[in-house]
Amino acid sequence: MDRAGQTVSATTFAQLTGVSRERLRTWERRHGFPAPSRVGSGPRRYRLRDVPRVVAVRRASEDGVPIAEAITRAAFDEPAGELSAGAFAAMVEHAPLPVAALSGPEPLAIVYVNGALAGQAGVSGAAAELERTAAKLSASPCSAQLRALFAGEHEEAVCGHPRWDGGRGDARSIAFRLPVEPGRPPLVAMVGIEADRERALAGEVAALHRELHDLRERDARHVRWMEALARLSAEFQVEASAASRDSALDTLVRQLNATDAALATYLSGQLAVASSRRGSLGPAMITVTAHPAIARTLRDAHAAWLEPAAALALGVPDGLHACGVPIVVAGESLGLVLLLFDEPEEISPDVERLLTAVSAAVGFALLRDRLAQELRDAAGQA
């Protein structure tokens, strides 16, 4: 007890009210509520009797009432005295956290369990079950902390103890003394900090972290694709020769973290690969009609990961995955840009647009080479 009455730490207060510590500080900063007790620069401690008011503000906010208005209403509900044990029991009866009240220290007895705890196997509220649970607590490492709380040596403690439902492993609870009337035996409350609600919240936070990580990975991948496209464009603005095509493939390998890259030209129903930039592929030629997946890729003009049979026919080594980027100019299929990776990556709409731009640049270079060859052939015949 301090001058403000029974106080609990910010962590315990957050558990009891369902309002995070960060949100409590925001309310304090903006509205002066709830007002914690602090000694110098020490940690915040909140009055136990303020729990019902904070819960009321939270529920009003969830119902659409502005925070400032909800807090103004709560200001008129200032409790006249300390929160009694009975009022505490009424306050936590329907809380999603398991809550128990203990008398002791000798013998240690469970004198109250709330609805969440009573719903767990092994703690239904029957006298015999409560005695067995109390005996387990007495034999657990947290018994020394509970005795210290009963003796008033500590304000609160985080206890590790056997799970309430009798399952394997341990549970954790925050334990603190409850205010009692003079002459009455001391009571200690235990509030679980690993309730289903908290585990669900932790799961949601973990999912958000995973989503953020995925977004960062996707953004980084898109940046690599954009850099590759910019370099490729610069190469072809200078010269669209075989050397520039090779340089463009090298750029793709570097920027996309690919293992290798190659150009597969299409002519008369055949798809031919001379070699790849890093030697993973050797000379290979396949008949497109024998590989329906490749035929669909060329026909639909959409980048796709090659099926294992098609990749094997093109000589893709075991353990590598091949992405085929169709080279289509004016409706004519000129071939594929083959990109080899250790692991397949998602071909999102943004990535496909970039790959289409890459293949278009290569396609115009191939078309220019073909036209130049035709002109040379015509000149030779003349």
Side-chain angles (χ1 to χ4, degrees), residues 10-11 13-15 17-31 33-34 44 46 198 201 205:
T11 299
F13 197 76
Q15 290 285 333
T17 60
V19 180
S20 69
R21 296 173 59 177
E22 292 75 15
R23 196 177 183 193
L24 288 170
R25 286 197 294 271
T26 299
W27 289 1
E28 176 193 346
R29 184 173 64 252
R30 295 179 180 177
H31 309 287
F33 173 87
R44 289 172 169 81
Y46 293 88
E198 300 303 317
L201 180 60
V205 171

Side-chain angles (χ1 to χ4, degrees), residues 105-106 108 136-154 156-161 175 188:
E106 297 295 343
L108 184 67
K136 291 179 182 178
L137 287 174
S138 296
S140 72
C142 77
S143 61
Q145 295 170 297
L146 294 176
R147 284 195 296 272
L149 288 169
F150 280 116
E153 297 175 8
H154 302 296
E156 63 183 62
V158 176
C159 301
H161 57 86
V188 168

Side-chain angles (χ1 to χ4, degrees), residues 117-189:
L117 186 50
Q120 297 189 26
V123 196
S124 65
E129 293 172 348
L130 294 180
E131 288 179 8
R132 286 195 296 269
T133 303
K136 291 179 182 178
L137 287 174
S138 296
S140 72
C142 77
S143 61
Q145 295 170 297
L146 294 176
R147 284 195 296 272
L149 288 169
F150 280 116
E153 297 175 8
H154 302 296
E155 293 175 332
E156 63 183 62
V158 176
C159 301
H161 57 86
R163 286 178 47 169
W164 295 111
D165 60 6
R168 299 179 61 183
D170 292 333
R172 291 196 309 147
S173 295
I174 295 176
F176 55 90
R177 281 178 62 113
L178 283 172
V180 294
E181 298 175 5
R184 299 294 298 274
L187 294 174
V188 168

Side-chain angles (χ1 to χ4, degrees), residues 197-358:
R197 177 177 175 274
E198 300 303 317
R199 286 195 292 271
L201 180 60
E204 292 174 4
V205 171
L208 288 174
H209 280 301
R210 288 193 297 270
E211 184 176 349
L212 179 60
H213 178 267
D214 292 342
L215 286 172
R216 287 173 174 169
E217 287 288 322
R218 187 156 58 249
D219 287 344
R221 184 165 61 244
H222 287 180
V223 168
R224 295 199 306 268
W225 287 95
M226 288 297 293
E227 290 176 350
L229 180 60
R231 295 192 181 202
L232 183 64
S233 175
E235 292 280 354
F236 283 99
Q237 285 177 1
V238 175
E239 183 182 11
S241 63
S244 64
R245 288 198 302 272
D246 291 343
S247 178
L249 294 177
D250 290 338
T251 299
L252 288 175
V253 170
R254 289 193 303 271
Q255 295 299 315
L256 305 181
N257 291 330
T259 301
D260 205 348
L263 182 63
T265 55
Y266 176 77
L267 187 63
S268 301
Q270 304 288 317
L271 199 60
V273 178
S275 64
S276 60
R277 295 304 301 156
R278 296 189 176 179
S280 299
L281 301 177
M285 180 176 290
I286 63 172
T287 301
V288 172
T289 55
H291 299 277
I294 290 183
R296 284 195 302 271
T297 299
L298 290 171
R299 182 194 65 211
D300 298 339
H302 291 303
W305 292 99
L306 301 188
E307 295 180 350
L312 180 63
L314 289 171
V316 176
D318 289 340
L320 294 182
H321 302 267
C323 178
V325 185
I327 304 170
V328 180
V329 177
E332 181 181 358
S333 296
L334 302 179
L336 289 174
V337 172
L338 295 175
L339 299 171
L340 306 187
F341 293 88
D342 291 324
E343 295 292 338
E345 297 189 22
E346 176 190 2
I347 303 176
S348 67
D350 288 343
V351 169
E352 185 158 4
R353 283 193 290 270
L354 294 175
L355 288 174
T356 300
V358 169

Side-chain angles (χ1 to χ4, degrees), residues 38-44:
R38 301 185 74 176
V39 177
S41 59
R44 289 172 169 81

